Amino acid sequence: MSSQAQGKELIITRELQAPRELVFKVWSEAEHLKQWWGPKGFEIHVQEMDFRPGGYFHYSMNAADGGQMWGKFLYKEIQAPERIVWHNCFSDETGNIVRAPFSNLIPLEIRNEVTFTDNNNGTTTMIIRGGPFNATEEERSFYEGMFESMEQGFGGTFDQLEQYLAERK
């Protein structure tokens, strides 16, 4: 674990029925990422994507009822096709990092690391680890209390990823 991650991490492992290069591609290109990232039932609109260390992915999540939230990835490390490290944040329309619209206790930045392991049989093991970055003790505790909810949310997102990959094979 990186020394920058604080507290407990959420760890999710998923075996994907797709080669590693394709899995990496759908994580690293805006036209793909917008098709599967985010909560079920939300449409993703890409404001801008600059996939490189120091770059970012700025997007809005739009619900069918008209609700909208903005998010941003701040890319820290990229090792194609094996690993991506980024900080995930809520943002405003102009890309400024802001508090989550539904709780002031969610850390401003979550450090995520996703790794892709080629299983040499056309499948890829994807492991994502996430934890608060520069968070207060209260924010870390709140984050850790949301693990079950986050597992469900990521589960839905990664179901969408699996379906999207199946359509690309």
Side-chain angles (χ1 to χ4, degrees):
M1 182 172 82
S2 166
S3 61
Q4 295 185 9
Q6 304 167 348
K8 294 180 184 172
E9 291 183 308
L10 176 69
I11 302 171
I12 298 173
T13 301
R14 189 68 82 101
E15 185 165 326
L16 302 170
Q17 302 300 311
R20 180 169 66 174
E21 289 71 23
L22 176 58
V23 175
F24 187 85
K25 182 176 183 165
V26 303
W27 273 86
S28 61
E29 296 178 6
E31 63 268 23
H32 296 297
L33 196 52
K34 72 180 184 179
Q35 300 297 327
W36 64 268
W37 179 257
K40 282 188 177 179
F42 281 75
E43 187 174 336
I44 302 297
H45 293 282
V46 178
Q47 183 76 9
E48 190 170 346
M49 185 170 186
D50 180 11
F51 186 71
R52 63 178 176 81
Y56 60 91
F57 170 49
H58 183 214
Y59 60 97
S60 65
M61 297 177 282
N62 304 284
D65 67 4
Q68 182 180 63
M69 293 183 289
W70 287 84
K72 191 171 186 179
F73 292 8
L74 304 170
Y75 293 110
K76 303 297 181 181
E77 300 173 44
I78 298 170
Q79 296 171 319
E82 299 164 3
R83 181 173 174 260
I84 304 169
V85 177
W86 78 98
H87 290 190
N88 201 37
C89 320
F90 284 91
S91 74
D92 62 19
E93 289 181 40
T94 58
N96 298 304
I97 296 172
V98 300
R99 289 277 172 199
F102 47 85
S103 173
N104 285 331
L105 291 177
I106 293 183
L108 282 173
E109 295 184 47
I110 304 297
R111 181 192 182 276
N112 291 292
E113 176 181 359
V114 64
T115 58
F116 310 106
T117 302
D118 184 342
N119 296 323
N120 298 317
N121 61 2
T123 68
T124 302
T125 299
M126 177 183 73
I127 300 173
I128 186 167
R129 300 172 177 273
F133 182 81
N134 288 339
T136 66
E137 187 59 42
E138 187 178 26
E139 290 169 336
R140 279 192 296 277
S141 178
F142 185 82
Y143 176 84
E144 291 167 11
M146 292 181 46
F147 277 9
E148 186 174 325
S149 172
M150 289 187 291
E151 286 172 348
Q152 291 175 356
F154 273 117
T157 295
F158 295 152
D159 288 349
Q160 293 172 159
L161 170 60
E162 285 190 273
Q163 180 180 346
Y164 187 72
L165 288 167
E167 294 166 0
R168 308 267 126 357
K169 287 174 67 174

